[in-house]
Amino acid sequence: MIPDHILIRYGEISLKGKNRNYFEARLIKNIKDQLNAFSPGSFEFVKKISGATLVKLNKNGLSDIAEVENAIMHTLGIVNYSFAYSVEQNFEEIKNFCWQLIKEKDFKTFRVTCQRSNKEFPMKSEEIEREVGGFIFEKFGRKKSVKLKDPDCECFIAIINDYALVSLDKKKGLGGLPVGTGGKALVLMSGGFDSPVAAFSILRRGVTTRFVHFHSMPYTSKASVEKVTDLIRVLKKYQSSGVLYSVPFADAQKEIVMNCHESLRIILYRRLMMQIAQRLAKREKSLALVTGDSIGQVASQTLENIFVVSHACEMPIFRPLIGTDKEDIMDTARKIGTYDISKLAHDDCCTRLMPKKPETRANLLAVLEAEKALDIPKIINDIFEKIEKIKI
Ligand code: ATP
Ligand code: MG
């Protein structure tokens, strides 16, 4: 027996009020896009039914079920899903099918749940539940018990338009909100563990992310840009697009190194990055910047330094990992598939010309004073002529 449908359920909270239709339509669009990306031409339809979204697979989908599931596992906004089997809309057929399905399974307690959206079907939901539940109970020789709350096994029956669906196991999805329902943000992406995980946290709340990476080529190798590109390719699996702005930063760093005290280098690099990122974000209508900072993780991430860096731009800077330990960040990296790429060595533009004793408690006035030695608008304008937009 091969399941030919997928029943997809989403969270309740976001469904309240006026947002409901918008949210559901976006989820359906995203599921279609994901299925087409992972397993092209695998479905006949994706549509809303009462309380769920229903996917009907076609011949291609049935022969490519692992990739179909991969697509669902990479779609944000799905709380849980189950593969379902279509059955003729006839009570005897449904009852026997439920038995065929459940008899293979190992469990102690069970329940039968029915949802009837086709009200022309002659039996009510409760009646179907009772009859099918009783039938299964007897068939098992009364050895399994019915448990309505938290059973080991739930047999679900949906009576929809002109057929019925039966499913057994619910699998957990990624949760969150559908990508595209929360606007756009620009992620400052380095090659480490943190920024891809920060990007995922924002994506998970429905925000479409674009990326900016600062490199010091030719002083650092091309590998750092390639590493970031590989990371974005992984994150792209959770949203349909992958846009990277690759920013040549070596000339600006040279200006800072020549004109300012070495202890302030990292802070001045970071302030400049924020200003460039903000201008890019405004140009492409992103409403926030995102970084992988976590308090105290490295010298540049003390509260004082975060304060001084944030002061360089007026746009909100989201730091979703600010209170997260490195171990937890790495766990998430493993789950989302960025760990193996992040762990490879890379040379970041900021580690180049690293001061011996970087400032850990920057003072805003002192930093503003130091910046007077630089022609910031000119530096930014020069850089903007060389930014490369890469579609991944
Ligand atoms: P990550 O693990 O994300 O690489 P990190 O451990 O290298 O971070 P920092 O170097 O302090 O930590 O960087 C803090 C944040 O600043 C990064 O998470 C990222 O958002 C941003 N950032 C750092 N370097 C770059 C870069 N070269 N290009 C773009 N953003 C950067
Ligand atoms: Mg870090």
Side-chain angles (χ1 to χ4, degrees):
M1 286 189 291
I2 301 171
D4 50 359
H5 288 71
I6 313 171
L7 272 165
I8 294 176
R9 302 170 195 89
Y10 33 82
E12 293 298 320
I13 305 159
S14 50
L15 297 183
K16 306 247 187 288
K18 282 183 295 193
N19 281 333
R20 187 178 179 132
N21 287 343
Y22 171 64
F23 172 94
E24 287 172 336
R26 186 67 202 210
L27 182 65
I28 287 175
K29 178 188 180 302
N30 290 359
I31 292 170
K32 286 180 182 169
D33 287 350
Q34 290 289 68
L35 285 170
N36 277 326
F38 282 80
S39 178
S42 55
F43 61 93
E44 213 163 282
F45 62 70
V46 180
K47 70 177 185 190
K48 181 175 148 17
I49 59 167
S50 166
T53 297
L54 182 66
V55 178
K56 176 159 195 228
L57 299 173
N58 61 19
K59 223 170 74 209
N60 294 346
L62 293 175
S63 61
D64 197 20
I65 209 89
E67 279 307 301
V68 164
E69 185 159 21
N70 221 355
I72 301 302
M73 283 301 298
H74 282 84
T75 307
L76 289 155
I78 295 176
V79 171
N80 65 58
Y81 64 94
S82 32
F83 284 102
Y85 303 77
S86 55
V87 185
E88 200 187 308
Q89 210 174 78
N90 164 304
F91 179 69
E92 287 301 311
E93 294 277 339
I94 296 169
K95 189 176 80 177
N96 288 320
F97 190 87
C98 289
W99 165 243
Q100 293 306 322
L101 208 56
I102 206 166
K103 73 176 187 194
E104 308 291 341
K105 246 188 98 83
D106 186 26
F107 63 91
K108 285 202 180 78
T109 59
F110 78 103
R111 71 166 286 168
V112 175
T113 308
C114 179
Q115 210 169 49
R116 182 185 60 137
S117 46
N118 175 9
K119 301 294 180 204
E120 277 165 25
F121 190 74
M123 293 167 80
K124 287 192 171 159
S125 296
E126 303 85 78
E127 203 181 339
I128 298 170
E129 287 173 1
R130 214 173 41 237
E131 293 287 326
V132 176
F135 181 71
I136 292 172
F137 183 69
E138 293 298 335
K139 279 285 206 184
F140 272 122
R142 304 184 164 215
K143 288 199 185 84
K144 311 273 183 194
S145 48
V146 173
K147 190 170 173 235
L148 297 184
K149 202 166 179 280
D150 291 328
D152 301 336
C153 177
E154 181 173 7
C155 177
F156 181 78
I157 303 164
I159 310 284
I160 57 172
N161 302 343
D162 47 5
Y163 54 100
L165 292 166
V166 177
S167 68
L168 274 192
D169 301 302
K170 274 187 192 162
K171 299 191 187 184
K172 222 165 134 51
L174 285 176
L177 301 173
V179 176
T181 53
K184 240 193 303 181
L186 183 63
V187 180
L188 283 86
M189 187 81 159
S190 59
F193 289 105
D194 308 320
S195 35
V197 173
F200 181 76
S201 309
I202 295 289
L203 262 171
R204 194 159 182 269
R205 299 309 301 163
V207 177
T208 305
T209 53
R210 293 191 156 188
F211 304 89
V212 54
H213 175 67
F214 297 84
H215 66 79
S216 292
M217 283 190 320
Y219 306 103
T220 56
S221 70
K222 201 162 177 261
S224 86
V225 182
E226 282 164 359
K227 193 176 177 192
V228 166
T229 310
D230 288 344
L231 287 167
I232 295 171
R233 207 166 280 129
V234 174
L235 291 168
K236 194 186 160 192
K237 292 185 182 172
Y238 301 93
Q239 60 180 4
S240 322
S241 67
V243 175
L244 167 66
Y245 296 98
S246 176
V247 183
F249 205 48
D251 290 346
Q253 287 182 293
K254 200 163 135 196
E255 288 287 314
I256 292 171
V257 168
M258 285 192 326
N259 294 299
C260 306
H261 192 274
E262 67 166 69
S263 64
L264 294 181
R265 262 177 217 166
I266 306 277
I267 289 167
L268 294 170
Y269 296 166
R270 283 292 148 80
R271 282 174 57 87
L272 196 54
M273 284 182 181
M274 290 302 170
Q275 290 175 73
I276 292 164
Q278 169 170 261
R279 189 156 136 187
L280 271 173
K282 280 184 180 163
R283 196 173 74 182
E284 53 137 72
K285 301 199 166 47
S286 283
L287 294 178
L289 303 179
V290 180
T291 76
D293 293 310
S294 157
I295 295 178
Q297 196 188 77
V298 289
S300 60
Q301 295 171 23
T302 61
L303 270 191
E304 288 87 345
N305 288 5
I306 287 175
F307 173 81
V308 173
V309 170
S310 302
H311 208 272
C313 79
E314 71 249 20
M315 188 172 266
I317 303 171
F318 295 147
R319 297 177 171 92
L321 308 181
I322 198 70
T324 313
D325 290 347
K326 195 77 182 184
E327 275 306 314
D328 295 334
I329 294 171
M330 305 226 279
D331 278 349
T332 309
R334 281 188 196 94
K335 278 184 204 136
I336 64 175
T338 54
Y339 183 91
D340 287 336
I341 302 170
S342 291
K343 78 173 183 208
L344 304 170
H346 71 288
D347 41 357
D348 190 70
C349 69
C350 291
T351 45
R352 189 175 149 270
L353 307 171
M354 186 81 164
K356 276 192 222 67
K357 206 172 165 299
E359 181 59 79
T360 54
R361 306 206 181 286
N363 172 282
L364 182 60
L365 291 178
V367 171
L368 292 175
E369 191 57 35
E371 260 176 11
K372 284 187 184 155
L374 304 167
D375 187 348
I376 303 265
K378 179 171 184 316
I379 294 175
I380 295 180
N381 281 337
D382 289 350
I383 284 183
F384 256 78
E385 284 173 15
K386 297 180 210 136
I387 293 179
E388 201 189 338
K389 182 175 177 178
I390 304 169
K391 285 209 167 147
I392 292 164

